Amino acid sequence: FAPHSAKKQGQKLATMAGPTPLIKKTVVKKRTKKFARHQSDQFIRIRNSSWRKPKGIDGRVRRRFKGAIPMPSVGYGSDKKTRNVHPNGFKSVVVSNVAELEMLMMHNRTYAATVAHSVSTRVRRDIIERAEQLAIRVTNAAAKLRAEEDA
């Protein structure tokens, strides 16, 4: 347990440049493994497929027999306070322009901005500059700017 907490402290020190997250509660996941599709171990074509609810009339999994693989249910849900919270302590909002960034002004300790994939380098630079003025964390601030700095 000690190395895990030391890692967290190191992570916290590295992110002190921007605003600190408001949520201090540690995120606890009830289940981290993906739910396996019924009989996905027997057929290569569905080996890594996502969960599908079994619909058969005699299905052991659907009828929740002992020893059968578990089915997703509402009980596996996360705590409301820590739902959708990233490891850095913020919830993420995709931003495409400076106007959308302005919405996060009063919520800069809860939400972090993520610049959309389709945003150009010029607009991206404006968004990051405005985010620094408003003290808003940008999760992908270094994206699409590396080649520009070398030139």
Side-chain angles (χ1 to χ4, degrees), residues 21-80:
L22 198 61
I23 298 166
K24 295 176 182 71
K25 197 170 183 183
T26 54
V27 178
V28 176
K29 305 273 189 199
K30 291 181 188 167
R31 182 184 169 97
T32 54
K33 276 171 63 176
K34 295 252 187 201
F35 284 97
R37 187 174 171 179
H38 182 43
Q39 293 186 334
S40 64
D41 55 331
Q42 295 177 9
F43 301 101
I44 292 172
R45 64 182 178 271
I46 59 167
R47 177 75 42 120
N48 298 319
S49 61
S50 57
W51 169 257
R52 308 287 173 87
K53 186 170 171 61
K55 303 274 198 323
I57 53 170
D58 294 328
R60 296 168 57 232
V61 174
R62 183 188 60 80
R63 298 191 322 185
R64 297 199 177 100
F65 280 15
K66 187 166 64 174
I69 61 168
M71 280 204 298
S73 65
V74 71
Y76 287 106
S78 298
D79 182 6
K80 246 186 190 176

Side-chain angles (χ1 to χ4, degrees), residues 108-127:
N108 65 342
R109 295 192 60 201
T110 307
Y111 295 97
T114 302
V115 183
H117 174 75
S118 59
V119 175
S120 67
T121 307
R122 180 178 61 83
V123 176
R124 190 177 290 264
R125 199 179 300 115
D126 296 341
I127 290 171

Side-chain angles (χ1 to χ4, degrees), residues 78-94:
S78 298
D79 182 6
K80 246 186 190 176
K81 289 189 178 106
T82 60
R83 192 176 299 157
N84 301 320
V85 174
H86 288 268
N88 64 7
F90 291 95
K91 293 180 180 178
S92 187
V93 176
V94 179

